[in-house]
Amino acid sequence: MIGRLRGTLAEKQPPHLILDVNGLGYELEVPMTTLYRLPSVGEPLTLHTHLVVREDAQLLYGFFEKRERELFRELIRLNGVGPKLALALMSGLEVDELVRCVQAQDTSALVKIPGVGKKTAERLLVELKDRFKAWETLPGMTSLVVAPAAGALAPSAENDAVSALISLGYKPQEASRAVSAVKEDGLSSEDLIRRALKGMV
């Protein structure tokens, strides 16, 4: 199992990135909460990782903090939740928002996530309630505040943002409309994704 990688951020193509570790490039998929906090390309980066081995692929997922990885692992243990849906949940809702939804048994924010209908949302809340009891006592669990990543605006920031939303499960037209609604000069793809997701949820 690959538990952690330390290297240089070689490429950033939301929601994928390549981490160069001594000349070996690891391709990872990350939730938007991690993406927002990435340094500029060429900067050092350490990510906590989770490896998923399937018959047809080996997929590596990266997280900025250990507790984000723990949340991902809790989610994929749930019946009917795979890595893609777990990443969509973690990208659409920050950790503290997800905890609040579970505590309040509030389905309204969950059903706006692609792939989550009313019945799925209700089932997730019931299953997560017991699992989150231990989490609620962890210090700082509900204080994840995401800082925007520094870096110059890429010419394809808008395209990157739309692609990232599509990979999370949003329809192309829906993704394009959401990004267009929030675009401003000077915004990075990470800023566009964050604003678009806030607008959708």
Side-chain angles (χ1 to χ4, degrees), residues 67-101:
R67 66 178 173 220
E68 288 180 306
R69 183 182 64 185
E70 294 311 311
L71 175 60
F72 178 79
R73 287 175 172 171
E74 287 290 354
L75 290 171
I76 61 174
R77 283 190 194 112
L78 300 177
N79 188 25
V81 177
K84 186 174 180 180
L85 182 54
L87 282 188
L89 285 163
M90 291 178 71
S91 296
L93 295 168
E94 289 178 21
V95 178
D96 57 340
E97 292 172 322
L98 188 53
V99 171
R100 272 199 300 273
C101 281

Side-chain angles (χ1 to χ4, degrees), residues 32 75 81-94 97-98 101 106-118 120-121 124 165 167-171 174 196-198 200-201:
M32 295 304 146
L75 290 171
V81 177
K84 186 174 180 180
L85 182 54
L87 282 188
L89 285 163
M90 291 178 71
S91 296
L93 295 168
E94 289 178 21
E97 292 172 322
L98 188 53
C101 281
D106 175 17
T107 59
S108 59
L110 289 181
V111 294
K112 291 175 182 168
I113 307 290
V116 181
K118 193 163 190 299
T120 305
L124 287 176
L165 292 176
S167 73
L168 287 173
Y170 290 98
K171 295 185 175 92
E174 196 178 15
L197 283 169
K198 286 288 177 200
M200 286 171 163
V201 175

Side-chain angles (χ1 to χ4, degrees), residues 26-95:
Y26 288 90
E27 186 177 313
L28 299 103
E29 197 165 337
V30 297
M32 295 304 146
T33 46
T34 292
L35 185 84
Y36 301 145
R37 305 163 84 185
L38 293 178
S40 302
V41 170
E43 296 288 317
L45 174 65
T46 300
L47 289 175
H48 301 280
T49 59
H50 180 84
L51 179 66
V52 173
V53 179
R54 299 192 324 217
E55 280 183 25
D56 58 342
Q58 292 188 21
L59 305 167
L60 197 56
Y61 297 91
F63 306 92
F64 205 80
E65 292 187 355
K66 261 188 182 175
R67 66 178 173 220
E68 288 180 306
R69 183 182 64 185
E70 294 311 311
L71 175 60
F72 178 79
R73 287 175 172 171
E74 287 290 354
L75 290 171
I76 61 174
R77 283 190 194 112
L78 300 177
N79 188 25
V81 177
K84 186 174 180 180
L85 182 54
L87 282 188
L89 285 163
M90 291 178 71
S91 296
L93 295 168
E94 289 178 21
V95 178

Side-chain angles (χ1 to χ4, degrees), residues 97-111 118-133 136:
E97 292 172 322
L98 188 53
V99 171
R100 272 199 300 273
C101 281
V102 173
Q103 286 172 337
Q105 292 292 289
D106 175 17
T107 59
S108 59
L110 289 181
V111 294
K118 193 163 190 299
K119 283 187 177 175
T120 305
E122 288 168 353
R123 183 174 52 76
L124 287 176
L125 290 178
V126 169
E127 290 187 38
L128 283 171
K129 191 163 190 177
D130 292 334
R131 291 178 183 268
F132 272 11
K133 276 183 181 152
E136 288 158 20

